[in-house]
Amino acid sequence: MPTEAQRVTDNRGAADRGLMERLVSLCKRRGFIFPSSEVYGGLASAWDYGPLGVALKNRLRDLWWREMTQLHDNIVGLDASILMHPQVWQASGHVDHFTDPLVDCRNCKSRFRADQVDIAGPCPTCGKTELTDPRQFNMMFRTHLGPVEGGGTEIYLRPETAQGAYVNFKSVQQSSRLKVPFGIAQVGKAFRNEITTKSFIFRTCEFEQMELQYFVHPDDADRWFEHWRERRFDYYQQLGIRAAKLRLRPHADDERAHYARAAEDIEYEFPFGWQELEGIHNRGDYDLTQHMTVSGKDLSYLNEETKERYVPYVVETAVGLTRTVLVALLDGYAEDEVEGESRTVLRLHPRVAPITVGVFPLVKKDGLAELARDIEEELRESFATFYDQGGAIGRRYRRQDEIGTPFCVTVDYESKDDDTVTIRYRDSTEQERVPRSELVAKVRAAMVEYARPEEGD
Ligand code: GAP
């Protein structure tokens, strides 16, 4: 099976590589994402989500969950365990097919993906011409269940969340009394021993997936595939991702995963080129049939009305939550000029931004700090807020711009007299005076009406 990394061709070109470096630096400086175990020098391709990063990730997760479960009466959730019976991965084909072809350098022991080096040429690390022939390398992480190494059961960390939904298909269907078509949505960690782990959080060994398995009658699979492809493509634009940065790309016959009858990627134009954000797959009855064969358990479905018994097809939508975080950050990142000064701004959709409203007193004295605190405490019932009384007001705005806070409320002397405040909009930097009593409604409306300014506006 070609892995995602293999399917992607290196299509770098005019792309802005500096953007990635600036973003990585911003993420570290402002507490979005830190290198893992940095005090020990870090761990390749592992990242920790700091206070703002976890807030952003949770927002993207919650929006996906709402979109994929709450808005449907026939899609339910599941949280299957990461560790599963080893036969799951035998049946799913991952033990035999989930491989990357790798070469090793006999001299310095560096390891490379065979399709990314000249295997007859010198080692990119040490320069000696000592590369081995390509060998298939399974990408699943293996470990042991039980206290004795070698004495217990060899198991795997799951490389996708999907299998949890297949092996629970019958339990979910019967306990929830669902009729086909219906879906099982799941968010959770997945692990792949990836060799190509550059590009920040784009491809990591430990990541989170958000997957829907939608079980349909085989005759309806093509229709549902199109339905979900369109719906998922539109979804990113609702999140505020620029349409020009998104495209759909059908897989060629030779790049589809072993389970897929049809596959199409939603791609985003990253600074290193167009690459997969989400995959939509028609997995046919491959997975359920495999689990029926290997487990000996019946996973077919009976239509009570027509009395037809069949193995449903699965239409899957599969996206990396952590990759969505990267897309939100990259797509939002902008540098512009405000009153002759350059600023960095994250144009995140207000529903995505980690903090929705910043609240500042113009000055700390004369009771303004107390009033601003009071307003912030009221707003935090409805929104994620941040109170800041330190430094010049312009600098406080910039600090919020840089982390994507769409609205800032400032409390000034007039506020004491007439119970009004100013609300300042991140993208336009315009300010508006509003009665305190209308603040919650005003922010809510601005969130609903939000439209990102066109480039150059
Ligand atoms: N269940 C199907 C499946 O796992 P996939 O195309 O291999 O399909 C789905 O993965 C999504 O998971 C990808 O589109 C990508 O967003 C994300 N993903 C895959 N490997 C990843 C990795 N190593 N790091 C971060 N995200 C990854």
Side-chain angles (χ1 to χ4, degrees):
M1 166 191 353
T3 62
E4 184 219 25
Q6 276 168 271
R7 295 199 301 266
V8 166
T9 50
D10 187 348
N11 48 7
R12 288 172 275 199
D16 177 4
R17 288 159 167 285
L19 167 60
M20 199 65 147
E21 277 144 36
R22 291 197 294 279
L23 184 69
V24 173
S25 152
L26 168 72
C27 283
K28 187 168 173 208
R29 190 161 30 86
R30 296 306 311 270
F32 280 94
I33 299 165
F34 310 118
S36 162
S37 349
E38 205 185 3
V39 292
Y40 290 102
L43 179 71
S45 114
W47 300 90
D48 295 343
Y49 289 76
L52 293 177
V54 73
L56 175 61
K57 183 152 68 72
N58 287 349
R59 283 216 190 291
L60 289 164
R61 182 199 60 198
D62 294 348
L63 286 164
W64 183 92
W65 194 257
R66 175 184 181 278
E67 164 74 12
M68 303 304 272
T69 67
Q70 192 180 319
L71 300 186
H72 307 266
D73 54 18
N74 66 342
I75 302 182
V76 293
L78 178 73
D79 185 10
S81 65
I82 289 172
L83 305 178
M84 301 177 78
H85 194 289
Q87 275 186 302
V88 167
W89 306 109
Q90 200 73 53
S92 69
H94 285 81
V95 170
D96 293 331
H97 302 295
F98 200 57
T99 54
D100 254 353
L102 300 183
V103 295
D104 292 310
C105 172
R106 288 192 190 89
N107 181 51
C108 72
K109 315 289 180 222
S110 296
R111 184 167 270 184
F112 307 96
R113 289 238 327 265
D115 54 342
Q116 291 187 346
V117 287
D118 172 9
I119 53 174
C123 165
T125 306
C126 72
K128 292 257 165 66
T129 308
E130 299 226 23
L131 296 179
T132 61
D133 287 337
R135 289 179 304 123
Q136 291 300 326
F137 172 82
N138 195 292
M139 293 172 68
M140 285 193 292
F141 281 100
R142 258 175 289 202
T143 187
H144 291 87
L145 197 63
V148 186
E149 178 111 357
T153 310
E154 189 177 58
I155 55 164
Y156 303 94
L157 302 189
R158 68 180 176 198
E160 61 170 9
T161 61
Q163 298 302 324
Y166 306 141
V167 297
N168 281 293
F169 163 74
K170 201 115 208 180
S171 311
V172 171
Q173 187 261 322
Q174 289 178 343
S175 60
S176 305
R177 299 172 57 240
L178 288 159
K179 292 193 173 78
V180 168
F182 75 91
I184 301 180
Q186 198 173 187
V187 178
K189 292 240 171 171
F191 301 83
R192 297 181 188 178
N193 204 351
E194 303 271 10
I195 292 299
T196 307
T197 52
K198 299 212 178 80
S199 311
F200 196 26
I201 54 169
F202 176 79
R203 182 176 296 114
T204 47
C205 292
E206 172 181 347
F207 57 101
E208 277 172 81
Q209 288 190 312
M210 305 186 287
E211 297 196 307
L212 168 72
Q213 312 304 322
Y214 201 70
F215 299 90
V216 303
H217 189 282
D219 292 347
D220 298 334
D222 291 343
R223 185 167 62 81
W224 281 113
F225 179 82
E226 278 170 34
H227 167 88
W228 283 111
R229 182 189 59 194
E230 302 311 317
R231 185 154 180 157
R232 294 301 303 153
F233 190 73
D234 290 347
Y235 174 72
Y236 291 103
Q237 292 168 57
Q238 290 165 34
L239 281 191
I241 307 298
R242 291 166 293 175
K245 290 273 180 183
L246 293 163
R247 73 177 187 193
L248 282 162
R249 190 182 68 80
H251 281 201
D253 286 346
D254 62 353
E255 66 174 323
R256 278 202 297 273
H258 65 283
Y259 51 72
R261 300 170 79 97
E264 204 152 327
D265 286 344
I266 299 173
E267 293 191 331
Y268 180 79
E269 191 179 20
F270 290 87
F272 38 89
W274 287 97
Q275 305 241 352
E276 175 179 347
L277 166 61
E278 170 158 350
I280 320 294
H281 312 121
N282 173 357
R283 295 179 72 131
D285 59 4
Y286 177 85
D287 300 276
L288 288 181
T289 303
Q290 283 293 106
H291 288 305
M292 288 211 304
T293 309
V294 176
S295 72
K297 301 285 182 325
D298 178 22
L299 297 177
S300 65
Y301 169 79
L302 175 69
N303 181 327
E304 301 282 358
E305 279 153 38
T306 64
K307 303 295 172 215
E308 184 189 6
R309 183 173 282 285
Y310 58 92
V311 179
Y313 275 23
V314 172
V315 174
E316 172 187 59
T317 73
V319 59
L321 170 55
T322 40
R323 194 169 292 182
T324 316
V325 170
L326 180 59
V327 166
L329 288 167
L330 280 170
D331 202 69
Y333 187 97
E335 287 166 8
D336 63 7
E337 218 171 83
V338 175
E339 290 156 10
E341 264 185 49
S342 67
R343 75 162 174 167
T344 300
V345 54
L346 276 187
R347 296 195 201 283
L348 298 174
H349 193 289
R351 288 190 301 158
V352 171
I355 293 166
T356 316
V357 194
V359 182
F360 319 140
L362 184 64
V363 290
K364 280 181 259 183
K365 55 185 185 178
D366 300 329
L368 293 191
E370 290 73 14
L371 181 56
R373 246 310 173 201
D374 192 51
I375 291 174
E376 187 269 324
E377 278 171 14
E378 188 180 316
L379 287 175
R380 69 164 72 164
E381 295 291 329
S382 311
F383 309 108
T385 57
F386 183 77
Y387 175 82
D388 186 4
Q389 60 178 27
I393 194 82
R395 290 196 50 168
R396 282 182 265 168
Y397 286 144
R398 296 295 176 280
R399 285 203 289 262
Q400 293 305 309
D401 290 343
E402 197 180 43
I403 59 167
T405 306
F407 314 110
C408 287
V409 167
T410 301
V411 175
D412 56 18
Y413 287 103
E414 223 177 304
S415 311
K416 279 179 50 173
D417 296 337
D418 63 4
D419 234 4
T420 63
V421 293
T422 57
I423 175 162
R424 181 236 190 215
Y425 299 92
R426 176 197 68 205
D427 293 346
S428 64
T429 72
E430 275 164 18
Q431 299 190 23
E432 188 185 354
R433 195 136 206 120
V434 292
R436 174 180 174 173
S437 58
E438 290 173 19
L439 208 43
V440 169
K442 190 87 199 165
V443 172
R444 282 229 169 90
M447 288 178 83
V448 172
E449 287 156 15
Y450 178 78
R452 182 179 168 148
E454 295 290 324
E455 220 82 324
D457 277 11

